[in-house]
Amino acid sequence: MGEVGNGVEEGMKAGNKKVLLKNYVSGYVEESDMEIVTNDTVYLKLPQGYSNALLLKNLYLSCDPYMRNLMSKLDEPGYIDALLPGSVIRGFGVSRVLDSGHSDFKAGDYVWGVTGWEEYTLITDTQSLFKIPIFTADVPLSYYTGLLGMPGFTAYVGFYEVCSPKKGEYVFISAASGAVGQLVGQFAKLMGCYVVGTAGSDEKVELLKTKFGFDDAFNYKMEEDLGVALKRCFPEGIDIYFENVGGAMLDAVLKNMRDNGRISVCGMISQYNLEKPEGIYNLMNLITKRIMMKGFVVMDYVHLYPKFMEMVIKYIKGGEITYLEDKAEGIENAPAALVGLFRGRNVGKQLVVVAHE
């Protein structure tokens, strides 16, 4: 991404509201850690000399847990470049191409991928952008922030590729009502697995059981002992654990895994805002129960995206997948939406509507 500069005709300008990281974040992210800038303008044509670049109009922005890690000052580089104070926040989104200097894209194309938290973004590296195919025209564009985008693909990779599930297995999912968890549970049910999820409110627990078809679910905030809750739901143990939270939940799951179980480590949202992460004490179970525990970065599997799309489009058109979105209207509400993600306020996939198409 780059700055949109001069070199185009005067008069082709628009206001460009954007969200900046104000300061490095320590502890829980707050709205005050971000800043809305409203006095910026952009030219609506590519600047001269920007061959292979794209000018995007952003339509939907995705709020995702991994973004919290990018807001801290890191001692060593991560798999995604961290944000710098004063810079535009980056994340996944859905956009329309306004102008293109790249042979693979043309004005009017819709794309999803990494973009800026602003109304218009100049993209100089298109490797993290995916063209939205015409054959999904009857699917809401916003689904590419979730079901058909990074979260949906994450659910696919973490469940099918990492865990190698089999019909009849016992599957447990933490943060199960979120963007990824709600899909993992439905994928598992479609395979014929027994599925239990956990969430942080009774409302979300009810959604898991009535809307997403989970066999059982519990509110972890209402349980005195997570191990007892897991034993109640899985008297014979857990074959597959899709890990989204870390901490005490992971520790309890390790004691309740079956022999040769698999743990897919997608995220650890309970740890992202802690200055000192919680320790895990039951790792010996990995040895005694021959458990495979594997972390993954979804973009390492990008070659499988067409295979994922083929499967999930069939499920959508057959009415076999339900997807719930939580939309915040206006880019000025993006900071509150992101903060709410870590407070459990969202119900379903949290996204921000920047512009309606």
Coordinates of all heavy atoms in Angstrom, one line a residue, residues 17-91:
K17 N -11.7 9.3 4.6 CA -11.7 9.0 6.0 C -10.8 7.8 6.2 O -10.9 6.8 5.4 CB -13.1 8.7 6.5 CG -13.8 10.0 6.8 CD -15.1 9.6 7.7 CE -16.3 10.1 7.0 NZ -17.5 9.7 7.7
K18 N -10.0 7.8 7.3 CA -9.1 6.6 7.5 C -8.9 6.4 9.0 O -9.2 7.4 9.8 CB -7.8 6.8 6.8 CG -7.0 8.1 7.2 CD -5.7 8.2 6.4 CE -5.8 8.3 4.9 NZ -4.5 8.4 4.2
V19 N -8.5 5.2 9.4 CA -8.3 4.9 10.8 C -6.8 4.6 11.0 O -6.2 3.8 10.3 CB -9.1 3.7 11.2 CG1 -8.9 3.4 12.7 CG2 -10.6 3.8 10.9
L20 N -6.2 5.4 11.9 CA -4.8 5.3 12.2 C -4.5 4.6 13.5 O -5.4 4.7 14.4 CB -4.1 6.6 12.2 CG -4.3 7.6 11.0 CD1 -3.4 8.8 11.2 CD2 -3.9 6.9 9.7
L21 N -3.4 3.9 13.6 CA -3.0 3.4 15.0 C -2.3 4.6 15.6 O -1.3 5.2 15.1 CB -2.0 2.3 14.8 CG -1.4 1.8 16.1 CD1 -2.5 1.1 17.0 CD2 -0.2 0.8 15.9
K22 N -2.8 5.0 16.8 CA -2.3 6.2 17.4 C -1.0 5.9 18.2 O -0.1 6.7 18.2 CB -3.4 6.7 18.4 CG -3.2 8.2 18.8 CD -4.5 8.6 19.6 CE -4.4 10.1 20.0 NZ -5.7 10.5 20.7
N23 N -1.1 4.8 19.0 CA 0.1 4.4 19.8 C 0.2 2.9 19.8 O -0.8 2.2 19.6 CB -0.1 4.9 21.3 CG -0.3 6.4 21.4 OD1 0.5 7.2 21.1 ND2 -1.5 6.8 21.8
Y24 N 1.4 2.4 20.1 CA 1.5 1.0 20.4 C 0.6 0.6 21.6 O 0.4 1.4 22.5 CB 2.9 0.6 20.8 CG 3.9 0.6 19.6 CD1 5.1 1.3 19.6 CD2 3.6 -0.3 18.5 CE1 5.9 1.2 18.5 CE2 4.5 -0.3 17.4 CZ 5.6 0.4 17.4 OH 6.5 0.4 16.4
V25 N 0.0 -0.6 21.5 CA -1.0 -1.0 22.5 C -0.3 -1.9 23.5 O 0.4 -2.9 23.1 CB -2.2 -1.7 21.8 CG1 -3.2 -2.2 22.8 CG2 -2.8 -0.7 20.8
S26 N -0.6 -1.7 24.8 CA -0.3 -2.6 25.8 C -1.5 -3.0 26.6 O -2.3 -2.1 27.0 CB 0.8 -1.9 26.8 OG 1.1 -2.8 27.8
G27 N -1.8 -4.2 26.8 CA -3.0 -4.7 27.4 C -4.2 -4.6 26.4 O -4.0 -4.8 25.2
Y28 N -5.4 -4.4 26.9 CA -6.5 -4.5 26.0 C -6.5 -3.2 25.1 O -6.3 -2.1 25.5 CB -7.8 -4.5 26.9 CG -8.3 -5.8 27.3 CD1 -7.8 -6.4 28.4 CD2 -9.1 -6.6 26.5 CE1 -8.2 -7.7 28.8 CE2 -9.5 -7.8 26.8 CZ -9.0 -8.4 28.0 OH -9.4 -9.7 28.4
V29 N -6.8 -3.5 23.8 CA -6.9 -2.4 22.9 C -8.2 -1.6 23.2 O -9.2 -2.1 23.5 CB -7.0 -2.9 21.4 CG1 -8.2 -3.8 21.2 CG2 -6.9 -1.8 20.4
E30 N -8.0 -0.3 23.1 CA -9.1 0.7 23.4 C -9.3 1.5 22.1 O -8.4 1.7 21.3 CB -8.8 1.6 24.6 CG -8.5 0.8 25.8 CD -9.7 0.2 26.5 OE1 -10.8 0.5 26.0 OE2 -9.5 -0.6 27.5
E31 N -10.5 2.1 22.0 CA -10.8 3.0 20.9 C -9.8 4.2 20.9 O -9.4 4.7 19.8 CB -12.2 3.6 21.0 CG -13.3 2.5 20.7 CD -14.7 3.1 20.8 OE1 -14.9 4.1 20.1 OE2 -15.5 2.6 21.5
S32 N -9.3 4.6 22.1 CA -8.4 5.7 22.2 C -7.0 5.4 21.6 O -6.2 6.3 21.4 CB -8.2 6.2 23.6 OG -7.8 5.1 24.4
D33 N -6.8 4.1 21.3 CA -5.5 3.7 20.7 C -5.5 3.9 19.2 O -4.5 3.8 18.5 CB -5.2 2.2 20.9 CG -4.9 1.9 22.4 OD1 -4.2 2.7 23.0 OD2 -5.5 1.0 22.9
M34 N -6.7 4.3 18.7 CA -6.9 4.6 17.2 C -7.4 6.0 17.0 O -8.0 6.6 17.9 CB -7.9 3.5 16.7 CG -7.3 2.1 16.7 SD -8.6 0.8 16.3 CE -9.2 0.5 18.0
E35 N -7.2 6.5 15.8 CA -7.6 7.8 15.5 C -8.3 7.9 14.2 O -7.8 7.3 13.2 CB -6.4 8.7 15.5 CG -6.6 10.2 15.2 CD -5.4 11.0 15.1 OE1 -4.3 10.5 15.2 OE2 -5.5 12.3 15.0
I36 N -9.4 8.6 14.1 CA -10.1 8.8 12.8 C -9.6 10.1 12.2 O -9.7 11.1 12.8 CB -11.6 8.9 13.0 CG1 -12.2 7.7 13.8 CG2 -12.3 9.0 11.7 CD1 -12.1 6.4 13.1
V37 N -9.2 10.0 11.0 CA -8.7 11.2 10.2 C -9.7 11.5 9.1 O -10.1 10.6 8.3 CB -7.3 11.0 9.6 CG1 -6.9 12.2 8.7 CG2 -6.3 10.8 10.7
T38 N -10.3 12.7 9.1 CA -11.3 13.0 8.2 C -11.0 14.1 7.2 O -11.8 14.4 6.3 CB -12.6 13.5 9.0 OG1 -12.2 14.7 9.7 CG2 -13.1 12.4 9.9
N39 N -9.8 14.7 7.3 CA -9.4 15.8 6.4 C -8.5 15.4 5.3 O -7.9 16.3 4.6 CB -8.7 16.9 7.3 CG -7.5 16.4 8.0 OD1 -7.1 15.3 7.9 ND2 -6.8 17.3 8.6
D40 N -8.4 14.2 5.0 CA -7.6 13.7 3.9 C -8.4 13.6 2.6 O -9.6 13.4 2.6 CB -7.0 12.3 4.2 CG -5.9 11.9 3.3 OD1 -5.0 12.7 2.9 OD2 -5.9 10.7 2.8
T41 N -7.7 13.8 1.5 CA -8.3 13.7 0.2 C -7.5 12.8 -0.7 O -6.3 12.7 -0.5 CB -8.6 15.0 -0.6 OG1 -7.3 15.7 -0.7 CG2 -9.5 15.9 0.2
V42 N -8.1 12.2 -1.7 CA -7.3 11.3 -2.7 C -7.8 11.7 -4.1 O -8.9 12.2 -4.3 CB -7.6 9.8 -2.4 CG1 -7.1 9.4 -1.1 CG2 -9.1 9.5 -2.6
Y43 N -6.9 11.4 -5.0 CA -7.2 11.5 -6.5 C -7.8 10.1 -6.8 O -7.4 9.1 -6.4 CB -6.0 11.7 -7.3 CG -5.5 13.1 -7.1 CD1 -4.5 13.4 -6.2 CD2 -6.0 14.2 -7.9 CE1 -4.0 14.7 -6.1 CE2 -5.5 15.5 -7.8 CZ -4.5 15.7 -6.8 OH -4.0 17.0 -6.7
L44 N -8.8 10.2 -7.7 CA -9.6 8.9 -8.1 C -9.0 8.3 -9.3 O -9.7 7.5 -10.0 CB -11.1 9.2 -8.2 CG -11.7 9.8 -6.9 CD1 -13.2 10.0 -7.1 CD2 -11.5 8.8 -5.7
K45 N -7.8 8.6 -9.6 CA -7.0 7.9 -10.7 C -5.7 7.6 -10.2 O -5.2 8.2 -9.3 CB -6.9 8.9 -11.9 CG -8.2 9.2 -12.6 CD -8.7 8.1 -13.5 CE -7.9 7.9 -14.7 NZ -8.5 6.8 -15.6
L46 N -5.1 6.6 -10.8 CA -3.7 6.2 -10.4 C -2.7 7.3 -10.6 O -2.8 7.9 -11.7 CB -3.2 4.9 -11.1 CG -3.7 3.6 -10.6 CD1 -3.3 2.5 -11.5 CD2 -3.3 3.3 -9.2
P47 N -1.8 7.6 -9.7 CA -0.7 8.6 -10.0 C 0.2 8.1 -11.1 O 0.2 6.9 -11.4 CB 0.0 8.6 -8.7 CG -0.9 8.0 -7.7 CD -1.7 7.0 -8.4
Q48 N 0.8 9.0 -11.8 CA 1.8 8.6 -12.9 C 2.9 7.8 -12.3 O 3.4 8.0 -11.2 CB 2.3 9.9 -13.5 CG 1.3 10.7 -14.3 CD 1.9 11.9 -14.9 OE1 3.0 12.2 -14.7 NE2 1.0 12.7 -15.6
G49 N 3.3 6.8 -13.1 CA 4.5 6.0 -12.6 C 4.1 4.8 -11.8 O 5.0 4.1 -11.3
Y50 N 2.8 4.6 -11.5 CA 2.4 3.5 -10.7 C 1.9 2.3 -11.5 O 0.7 1.9 -11.5 CB 1.3 3.9 -9.7 CG 1.9 4.6 -8.4 CD1 2.3 5.9 -8.5 CD2 1.9 3.9 -7.2 CE1 2.8 6.5 -7.3 CE2 2.5 4.4 -6.1 CZ 2.9 5.8 -6.2 OH 3.4 6.4 -5.0
S51 N 2.8 1.8 -12.3 CA 2.4 0.6 -13.1 C 2.2 -0.6 -12.2 O 2.9 -0.7 -11.2 CB 3.5 0.3 -14.2 OG 4.7 0.1 -13.6
N52 N 1.3 -1.5 -12.5 CA 1.0 -2.7 -11.8 C 0.3 -2.4 -10.4 O 0.1 -3.3 -9.6 CB 2.2 -3.5 -11.5 CG 2.8 -4.1 -12.7 OD1 2.0 -4.5 -13.6 ND2 4.1 -4.2 -12.8
A53 N -0.1 -1.1 -10.2 CA -0.8 -0.8 -8.9 C -2.3 -0.7 -9.2 O -2.8 -0.8 -10.3 CB -0.3 0.6 -8.5
L54 N -3.0 -0.7 -8.1 CA -4.5 -0.6 -8.1 C -5.0 0.5 -7.2 O -4.4 0.7 -6.1 CB -5.1 -1.9 -7.6 CG -4.8 -3.2 -8.4 CD1 -5.5 -4.4 -7.7 CD2 -5.2 -3.1 -9.9
L55 N -6.0 1.2 -7.6 CA -6.7 2.1 -6.7 C -8.0 1.5 -6.3 O -8.8 1.2 -7.2 CB -6.9 3.5 -7.4 CG -7.6 4.5 -6.5 CD1 -6.8 4.8 -5.2 CD2 -7.9 5.8 -7.3
L56 N -8.2 1.3 -5.0 CA -9.4 0.6 -4.6 C -10.4 1.5 -3.8 O -10.0 2.4 -3.1 CB -9.0 -0.6 -3.6 CG -8.1 -1.6 -4.1 CD1 -7.8 -2.7 -3.0 CD2 -8.6 -2.3 -5.4
K57 N -11.7 1.2 -4.0 CA -12.7 1.8 -3.1 C -13.1 0.7 -2.2 O -13.6 -0.3 -2.6 CB -13.9 2.3 -3.9 CG -15.0 2.9 -3.0 CD -16.2 3.4 -3.9 CE -17.3 3.9 -2.9 NZ -18.4 4.4 -3.7
N58 N -12.9 0.9 -0.9 CA -13.1 -0.1 0.1 C -14.6 -0.2 0.4 O -15.2 0.9 0.7 CB -12.3 0.1 1.3 CG -10.8 -0.1 1.0 OD1 -10.4 -1.0 0.3 ND2 -10.0 0.8 1.6
L59 N -15.2 -1.4 0.5 CA -16.6 -1.5 0.7 C -16.9 -2.1 2.1 O -17.8 -1.7 2.8 CB -17.2 -2.4 -0.4 CG -17.0 -2.0 -1.8 CD1 -17.6 -3.0 -2.8 CD2 -17.6 -0.6 -2.1
Y60 N -16.1 -3.2 2.4 CA -16.3 -3.9 3.7 C -14.9 -4.1 4.3 O -14.0 -4.5 3.6 CB -17.0 -5.2 3.6 CG -18.4 -5.1 2.9 CD1 -18.5 -5.4 1.6 CD2 -19.5 -4.8 3.7 CE1 -19.8 -5.3 1.0 CE2 -20.7 -4.7 3.1 CZ -20.9 -4.9 1.8 OH -22.1 -4.8 1.2
L61 N -14.8 -3.9 5.6 CA -13.5 -4.2 6.3 C -13.8 -5.3 7.4 O -14.8 -5.3 8.0 CB -13.0 -2.9 7.0 CG -12.7 -1.8 6.1 CD1 -12.3 -0.6 7.0 CD2 -11.6 -2.1 5.1
S62 N -12.9 -6.2 7.5 CA -13.0 -7.3 8.4 C -12.3 -7.0 9.7 O -11.1 -6.6 9.8 CB -12.4 -8.6 7.8 OG -12.4 -9.7 8.6
C63 N -13.0 -7.3 10.9 CA -12.3 -7.2 12.2 C -11.9 -8.6 12.6 O -12.8 -9.5 12.7 CB -13.3 -6.6 13.2 SG -13.8 -4.9 12.9
D64 N -10.6 -8.8 12.8 CA -10.1 -10.2 13.1 C -9.2 -10.1 14.3 O -8.4 -9.2 14.5 CB -9.4 -10.7 11.9 CG -10.3 -10.9 10.7 OD1 -11.3 -11.7 10.8 OD2 -10.1 -10.2 9.7
P65 N -9.2 -11.2 15.2 CA -8.4 -11.2 16.4 C -6.9 -11.0 16.1 O -6.2 -10.4 17.0 CB -8.7 -12.6 17.0 CG -10.1 -12.9 16.5 CD -10.1 -12.3 15.1
Y66 N -6.4 -11.5 15.0 CA -4.9 -11.4 14.8 C -4.5 -10.0 14.7 O -3.3 -9.7 15.0 CB -4.5 -12.2 13.5 CG -4.8 -11.4 12.2 CD1 -3.8 -10.5 11.7 CD2 -6.0 -11.4 11.6 CE1 -4.0 -9.7 10.6 CE2 -6.3 -10.6 10.5 CZ -5.3 -9.8 10.0 OH -5.5 -9.0 8.9
M67 N -5.4 -9.1 14.4 CA -5.0 -7.7 14.3 C -4.4 -7.1 15.6 O -3.6 -6.1 15.5 CB -6.2 -6.8 13.8 CG -6.7 -7.3 12.4 SD -8.2 -6.5 11.9 CE -7.6 -4.8 11.6
R68 N -4.9 -7.6 16.7 CA -4.4 -7.1 18.0 C -2.9 -7.2 18.1 O -2.2 -6.4 18.6 CB -5.1 -7.8 19.1 CG -4.5 -7.6 20.5 CD -4.5 -6.1 20.9 NE -3.8 -5.9 22.2 CZ -2.5 -5.7 22.3 NH1 -1.7 -5.8 21.2 NH2 -1.9 -5.5 23.4
N69 N -2.3 -8.4 17.6 CA -0.9 -8.6 17.7 C -0.1 -7.6 16.9 O 1.1 -7.3 17.2 CB -0.6 -10.0 17.2 CG -1.1 -11.1 18.1 OD1 -1.3 -10.9 19.3 ND2 -1.4 -12.3 17.6
L70 N -0.7 -7.1 15.8 CA 0.0 -6.1 14.9 C 0.1 -4.7 15.6 O 0.9 -3.9 15.1 CB -0.7 -6.0 13.6 CG -1.0 -7.3 12.8 CD1 -1.6 -7.0 11.5 CD2 0.3 -8.1 12.7
M71 N -0.6 -4.5 16.7 CA -0.6 -3.2 17.3 C 0.4 -3.1 18.4 O 0.5 -2.0 19.0 CB -2.0 -3.0 17.8 CG -3.1 -2.9 16.8 SD -4.7 -2.6 17.5 CE -5.7 -2.2 16.0
S72 N 1.1 -4.1 18.7 CA 2.1 -4.1 19.8 C 3.5 -3.9 19.2 O 3.8 -4.3 18.1 CB 2.1 -5.3 20.7 OG 0.9 -5.4 21.4
K73 N 4.4 -3.3 20.0 CA 5.8 -3.3 19.5 C 6.4 -4.6 19.8 O 6.5 -5.1 20.9 CB 6.6 -2.2 20.3 CG 7.9 -1.9 19.8 CD 8.6 -0.7 20.5 CE 9.9 -0.3 19.8 NZ 10.5 0.9 20.5
L74 N 6.9 -5.3 18.7 CA 7.3 -6.6 18.8 C 8.9 -6.7 18.9 O 9.6 -5.9 18.3 CB 6.9 -7.4 17.5 CG 5.4 -7.4 17.2 CD1 5.1 -8.2 15.9 CD2 4.6 -8.1 18.4
D75 N 9.3 -7.6 19.7 CA 10.8 -7.8 19.9 C 11.4 -8.4 18.6 O 12.6 -8.2 18.4 CB 11.1 -8.7 21.1 CG 10.6 -8.0 22.4 OD1 10.7 -6.7 22.4 OD2 10.2 -8.7 23.3
E76 N 10.6 -9.2 17.9 CA 11.1 -9.8 16.7 C 10.0 -9.9 15.7 O 8.8 -9.9 16.0 CB 11.7 -11.3 17.0 CG 10.6 -12.2 17.6 CD 11.3 -13.5 18.0 OE1 12.3 -13.5 18.7 OE2 10.7 -14.5 17.6
P77 N 10.3 -9.9 14.4 CA 9.3 -9.9 13.3 C 8.4 -11.1 13.4 O 8.8 -12.2 13.8 CB 10.1 -9.9 12.0 CG 11.5 -9.5 12.4 CD 11.7 -10.0 13.8
G78 N 7.1 -10.8 13.1 CA 6.1 -11.9 13.0 C 5.9 -12.3 11.6 O 6.6 -11.9 10.7
Y79 N 4.9 -13.1 11.4 CA 4.6 -13.6 10.0 C 3.9 -12.5 9.2 O 3.7 -12.6 8.0 CB 3.8 -14.9 10.0 CG 2.4 -14.8 10.6 CD1 1.3 -14.6 9.7 CD2 2.1 -14.9 11.9 CE1 0.0 -14.5 10.2 CE2 0.8 -14.9 12.4 CZ -0.2 -14.7 11.6 OH -1.5 -14.6 12.0
I80 N 3.4 -11.5 9.9 CA 2.8 -10.3 9.2 C 3.5 -9.1 9.8 O 3.7 -9.0 11.0 CB 1.3 -10.2 9.5 CG1 0.6 -11.5 9.0 CG2 0.7 -9.0 8.8 CD1 -0.9 -11.5 9.3
D81 N 3.8 -8.1 8.9 CA 4.4 -6.9 9.4 C 3.5 -6.2 10.4 O 2.3 -6.0 10.2 CB 4.7 -5.9 8.2 CG 5.8 -6.5 7.3 OD1 6.6 -7.3 7.8 OD2 5.9 -6.1 6.2
A82 N 4.2 -5.7 11.5 CA 3.4 -5.0 12.6 C 3.1 -3.6 12.1 O 3.7 -3.1 11.1 CB 4.3 -4.9 13.8
L83 N 2.1 -3.0 12.7 CA 1.7 -1.6 12.4 C 2.6 -0.7 13.1 O 3.1 -1.0 14.2 CB 0.2 -1.4 12.8 CG -0.8 -2.2 12.1 CD1 -2.2 -2.1 12.8 CD2 -1.0 -1.8 10.7
L84 N 2.8 0.5 12.6 CA 3.6 1.6 13.2 C 2.6 2.7 13.7 O 1.6 3.0 12.9 CB 4.6 2.1 12.3 CG 5.7 1.2 11.8 CD1 6.6 1.8 10.7 CD2 6.5 0.7 12.9
P85 N 2.9 3.3 14.8 CA 2.0 4.4 15.2 C 2.0 5.5 14.1 O 3.0 5.8 13.5 CB 2.8 5.0 16.5 CG 3.4 3.7 17.0 CD 3.9 3.0 15.8
G86 N 0.8 6.0 13.8 CA 0.6 7.0 12.8 C 0.3 6.4 11.4 O 0.0 7.2 10.5
S87 N 0.4 5.1 11.3 CA 0.1 4.5 10.0 C -1.4 4.0 10.0 O -2.0 3.8 11.0 CB 1.0 3.2 9.8 OG 0.7 2.2 10.8
V88 N -1.9 3.8 8.7 CA -3.2 3.3 8.5 C -3.3 1.9 8.9 O -2.4 1.1 8.6 CB -3.6 3.5 7.1 CG1 -5.0 2.9 6.8 CG2 -3.6 5.0 6.6
I89 N -4.3 1.5 9.7 CA -4.5 0.1 10.1 C -4.8 -0.7 8.9 O -5.5 -0.3 7.9 CB -5.6 0.0 11.1 CG1 -5.2 0.7 12.5 CG2 -6.1 -1.4 11.3 CD1 -6.2 0.8 13.5
R90 N -4.2 -1.9 8.8 CA -4.4 -2.8 7.7 C -5.2 -4.0 8.2 O -5.1 -4.5 9.3 CB -3.1 -3.3 7.2 CG -2.1 -2.3 6.6 CD -0.9 -3.0 6.0 NE -0.3 -3.9 6.9 CZ 0.6 -3.7 7.8 NH1 1.0 -2.4 8.0 NH2 1.2 -4.6 8.5
G91 N -6.0 -4.6 7.2 CA -6.7 -5.8 7.5 C -7.3 -6.3 6.2 O -7.2 -5.7 5.2

